[in-house]
Amino acid sequence: MAELTYREAVARGIAQEMARDPDVVFLGEDVAKAGGVFKATVGLYEQFGPLRVRDTPISEQAILGAAMGAAMTGLKPIAEIMFSDFFAVCFDYIANEFPKSRYMSNGQTKCPLVVRTGNGAGSRFGAQHSQSVENWCMMIPGLKVVAPSTPRDVIGLMAAAVRDPDPVIFFEHKSLYATKGEVPDGEIVDRLGTAKIVRPGKDCTIIALALMVSRALAAAETLQSEHGIDCEVIDVRSLVPLDTQTILGSVAKTHRLFTVEENPRLCGWGAEIVSIVADEAFYELDGPPVRITTPHIPLPAADILEDMVLPTAERIVETVKRSLES
Amino acid sequence: MARVSDRAPGAAGSGLNDDIGEDKRLALYRSQVVIREAEQRAFDLFLQNLVKGTSHLSLGQEAVAAGFAEAMQPGDLSFCTYRGHSHTLARGVPVEKVLGELMQRDNGLMRGKGGSMHLTSEEHGVMGSYAIIGAHLPIACGSAWRAQYKGHKDVSVCFFGDGTTNIGAFHEALNFAAVWKLPVIFVCENNLYMEYTPIGEVTAVQHPAADRAASYGLERIVIDGNDADAVYRTARTAYDKARAGRGPSLIECMTYRHSGHSRADPAKYRPEGELEKWKLRDPVKIYRERLLQFGVAEKVIAGIETEVRKVVDDATETCKAAPPPSLDILTTDVYADGGWAWRN
């Protein structure tokens, strides 16, 4: 067991897979010699050399296109898009190419690759370097989408993503890079499509992702200690495949549902979860499902403004308390 | 197919003093005739409402596909555009598989799941036809990167139209391929029109691909894309360069499409007489004349034409008799497990 930061876990997760399989290669902007702008890939270039860990030009379409061509013909590429906001300049690959080639070719074309990216707010970078865009990817048939919240999950889900035969979009949260967690020694391999109950409870279910998991947990502690409300917190971890059984099972137990989403309100992933629960567990609910989200605005840069828009533990506490009391 | 023994006595086609040789020339001709006949049949079937959706024909551009394909080694990989019937056929994909896909039948290349714009046959080295302009140039780079990394000797060949040269992915891919010295060939089929607008009206340079080559440290190459011999020789040189580890090539082939952009386009925007002028340089016609000049017997040439027409006729009947796709493929192959499950 060792204590690792989330950013160290990224490098360890990639290294674990590159050491296992020589077909795993890694490319992106400033990822090799510089070790990544978030220092999440430090040491990989030194360990695996310039043929497997490659710096690219600032050409996001070339990065993702090259990853796809390599994946189609036998490699298992990991591609970095520095900020998930930049998906907008290479979205053709994410929306049209990776996820549709297998279907359109009637199963001939394979695309086993991982796109890892820095997602989420908290760095005061403003509207084009802070977004949470996991919902952009969740809506596309053919993709898989994961977003780990702890160093251990980073390594385990990275391994699962690299070994998966489908294209996987791997969202790392920028505000989690400096956080620490206990990580077991040796190989860690997790499973896609598995949510985790990170705090069992009986009064309500709070479903969160990435940075929002720690805020949901903090809120649950306050709700327990100050208001006697016992929350079950689920780290959804994987949006596609989605572990609906864990979610529906929890709702069947607590009869109340809250989602905590960093992506803006409209068409956030919580809407899909609420829709599934409404369809399939409506009579389990004792009250309306409630979404706690970032409002439908671009993200501001100033700390005082950014802090107002992201869901906080306080806002979760207030929302849950008000909803359960009403 | 006709063989060397059918040659007229004393013909130049004996291969003396010629780097291409008769067998290859007959293959180049047959390939062009297959494309011509199959594309013309696709157009006829469209008029009968048997080809559905859209289709983008390569009538008039046969020499580019034939020349590049005939110069390939087994294992070389083609990346095509939505105007990709020609390149798919040129790699030896059966006509009935292509027509079946255009006619949305169960016998189609992808059983109707892809359609005209996405012809793919990996067993023939056809790694897909891409309908988003420019998307496949970076993808071909990735395939070439795999070859470089694994020490494979195959070359990735990427075909696209003149309109592609003004999109970002073209420039990203060219730079990327040049910097990484990848074994990839970029082939621009300049047929003078992007869709309806002449490429010259919207491009800052005369030759939209070749005049950009210098930006990426590449040689400026413009060839007669209606001469299959010129295409073949240029392709061979580029493949040799790529296989030798000397990096990518960008080749602009001047050609002309005899039909509109897609089946919806009657091509009224072309100046009077332009089509007629280009038809004098019809690649199939000029290659037929060349075979005769090289002493190939008329009956050999006619034999190829008759054989190909029968192939296309038989394919047409097979496709007409084929059922539509079975409904059980609707949700297959969304994910690698063969299904479409996104939840448990």
Side-chain angles (χ1 to χ4, degrees):
Chain A
M1 194 73 85
E3 187 170 69
L4 248 58
T5 61
Y6 189 96
R7 65 160 53 83
E8 288 166 341
V10 172
R12 181 166 143 191
I14 296 172
Q16 173 185 299
E17 294 309 296
M18 292 189 78
R20 178 185 61 82
D21 182 351
D23 286 340
V24 179
V25 290
F26 176 43
L27 77 167
E29 296 158 10
D30 298 321
V31 300
K33 290 176 192 158
V37 295
F38 301 114
K39 298 295 169 206
T41 58
V42 170
L44 295 173
Y45 177 79
E46 290 73 18
Q47 188 177 351
F48 297 102
L51 292 180
R52 295 183 69 189
V53 180
R54 298 197 72 162
D55 284 321
T56 68
I58 299 176
S59 300
E60 280 83 12
Q61 296 185 81
I63 293 168
L64 293 193
M68 178 172 170
M72 286 168 65
T73 55
L75 297 185
K76 303 270 288 179
I78 303 170
E80 176 179 310
I81 297 297
M82 193 184 289
F83 287 80
S84 63
D85 313 67
F86 306 167
F87 278 12
V89 298
C90 50
F91 206 54
D92 179 42
Y93 296 94
I94 294 168
N96 288 322
E97 310 298 344
F98 303 159
K100 296 183 170 72
S101 56
R102 180 182 295 275
Y103 186 84
M104 292 196 300
S105 67
N106 193 34
Q108 295 178 68
T109 304
K110 60 184 177 178
C111 191
L113 57 80
V114 177
V115 179
R116 44 171 297 270
T117 189
N119 194 47
S123 303
R124 322 319 191 181
F125 288 163
Q128 297 177 344
H129 290 72
S130 306
Q131 296 173 86
S132 285
V133 305
E134 60 276 7
N135 55 332
W136 294 3
C137 298
M138 185 188 187
M139 67 175 80
I140 298 165
L143 292 182
K144 292 178 178 172
V145 182
V146 295
S149 70
T150 67
R152 182 188 174 131
D153 281 0
V154 165
I155 299 170
L157 290 173
M158 178 69 74
V162 171
R163 297 175 196 201
D164 195 86
D166 289 307
V168 180
I169 312 298
F170 193 91
F171 287 99
E172 297 162 14
H173 201 293
K174 296 193 289 291
S175 289
L176 290 173
Y177 278 131
T179 60
K180 291 179 178 169
E182 291 289 322
V183 174
D185 298 329
E187 186 181 77
I188 304 174
V189 186
D190 212 323
R191 281 197 305 134
L192 305 182
T194 53
K196 230 185 223 174
I197 298 173
V198 290
R199 183 190 194 281
K202 60 179 174 36
D203 294 333
C204 72
T205 298
I206 304 176
I207 298 180
L209 186 74
L211 179 66
M212 295 297 110
V213 174
S214 56
R215 296 186 180 189
L217 283 168
E221 290 309 312
T222 304
L223 285 160
Q224 177 77 72
S225 61
E226 295 182 12
H227 306 286
I229 297 171
D230 185 15
C231 304
E232 178 145 299
V233 178
I234 294 177
D235 180 352
V236 71
R237 304 200 314 156
S238 174
L239 292 175
V240 185
L242 184 64
D243 183 359
T244 57
Q245 294 310 309
T246 296
I247 294 166
L248 291 165
S250 179
V251 171
K253 184 172 70 172
T254 67
H255 309 293
R256 291 301 299 258
L257 173 65
F258 297 85
T259 63
V260 187
E261 301 158 61
E262 193 175 325
N263 46 211
R265 177 89 193 177
L266 301 189
C267 302
W269 54 260
E272 188 57 50
I273 287 176
V274 167
S275 153
I276 290 166
V277 170
D279 274 349
E280 300 176 30
F282 185 76
Y283 295 106
E284 295 288 357
L285 290 168
D286 287 344
V290 178
R291 294 177 58 209
I292 302 163
T293 72
T294 300
H296 190 59
I297 60 170
L299 289 167
D303 52 6
I304 192 171
L305 298 175
E306 192 181 52
D307 287 344
M308 283 187 72
V309 298
L310 292 196
T312 57
E314 292 72 28
R315 202 163 117 208
I316 299 167
V317 168
E318 279 308 304
T319 308
V320 170
K321 189 163 73 74
R322 200 172 55 241
S323 300
L324 292 189
E325 285 171 355
S326 65
Chain B
M1 193 170 110
R3 299 280 67 175
V4 182
S5 57
D6 296 323
R7 187 170 65 230
S14 60
L16 287 174
N17 299 318
D18 183 57
D19 58 317
I20 294 179
E22 184 169 303
D23 278 1
K24 184 54 77 177
R25 277 220 169 77
L26 293 176
L28 282 162
Y29 184 63
R30 184 180 184 280
S31 179
Q32 293 180 83
V33 174
V34 167
I35 298 165
R36 172 63 52 92
E37 294 292 329
E39 291 284 63
Q40 188 59 52
R41 184 60 50 88
F43 184 73
D44 295 344
L45 290 166
F46 156 63
L47 294 178
Q48 297 168 43
N49 205 26
L50 288 168
V51 164
K52 300 174 188 172
T54 188
S55 57
H56 304 78
L57 304 178
S58 289
L59 292 168
Q61 303 182 202
E62 295 87 350
V64 179
F68 275 96
E70 287 299 325
M72 285 180 190
Q73 302 286 328
D76 287 343
L77 301 176
S78 303
F79 295 80
C80 319
T81 67
Y82 55 88
R83 196 180 305 285
H85 311 164
S86 57
H87 299 290
T88 304
L89 291 164
R91 294 304 303 272
V93 176
V95 175
E96 71 173 68
K97 292 273 187 189
V98 172
L99 286 182
E101 189 66 24
L102 269 55
M103 293 165 72
Q104 306 184 353
R105 305 293 169 127
D106 202 45
N107 72 331
L109 198 49
M110 298 92 74
R111 300 182 68 191
K113 289 177 84 169
S116 160
M117 296 199 284
H118 299 291
L119 297 179
T120 304
S121 184
E122 294 204 358
E123 66 173 300
H124 295 91
V126 180
M127 302 302 288
S129 302
Y130 297 81
I132 307 293
I133 297 287
H136 61 316
L137 281 81
I139 294 170
C141 288
S143 170
W145 174 33
R146 177 268 319 153
Q148 183 187 62
Y149 176 71
K150 304 273 273 186
H152 298 164
K153 282 297 170 197
D154 61 280
V155 176
S156 297
V157 188
C158 183
F159 303 97
F160 51 90
D162 44 85
T164 298
T165 62
N166 289 324
I167 206 162
F170 169 86
H171 297 274
E172 290 195 15
L174 262 290
N175 181 60
F176 190 92
V179 171
W180 288 23
K181 281 195 127 180
L182 296 175
V184 58
I185 314 295
F186 299 104
V187 181
C188 176
E189 296 181 76
N190 183 352
N191 63 21
L192 311 187
Y193 295 87
M194 31 182 225
E195 288 191 41
Y196 304 163
T197 303
I199 190 68
E201 285 184 13
V202 294
T203 308
V205 292
Q206 185 191 355
H207 283 284
D211 288 347
R212 269 82 172 254
S215 303
Y216 306 106
L218 300 175
E219 186 184 351
R220 183 185 188 281
I221 303 173
V222 182
I223 64 168
D224 179 356
N226 279 18
D227 181 342
D229 283 354
V231 174
Y232 175 82
R233 289 190 178 106
T234 305
R236 210 168 44 182
T237 303
Y239 298 167
D240 288 347
K241 176 186 163 192
R243 270 187 251 283
R246 290 187 285 118
S249 299
L250 172 62
I251 299 161
E252 181 171 331
C253 306
M254 299 307 297
T255 185
Y256 194 81
R257 60 172 148 79
H258 291 176
S259 53
H261 166 73
S262 67
R263 70 174 216 177
D265 171 26
K268 298 282 192 205
Y269 43 81
R270 300 199 282 217
E272 201 172 329
E274 186 178 80
L275 174 62
E276 290 66 31
K277 192 186 93 191
W278 275 92
K279 278 195 167 173
L280 297 175
R281 301 217 62 256
D282 178 332
V284 178
K285 178 170 152 286
I286 63 176
Y287 211 76
R288 193 180 205 286
E289 287 161 4
R290 179 158 314 143
L291 290 179
L292 290 168
Q293 284 164 13
F294 271 77
V296 178
E298 168 65 30
K299 71 169 185 183
V300 173
I301 299 170
I304 290 172
E305 292 159 353
T306 304
E307 176 254 336
V308 168
R309 270 183 210 119
K310 179 164 179 358
V311 167
V312 175
D313 285 344
D314 290 351
T316 304
E317 293 314 308
T318 301
C319 294
K320 281 180 177 172
S326 63
L327 300 182
D328 60 7
I329 65 167
L330 187 65
T331 54
T332 60
D333 293 317
V334 178
Y335 292 101
D337 63 5
W340 65 302
W342 54 272
R343 56 173 287 187
N344 59 9

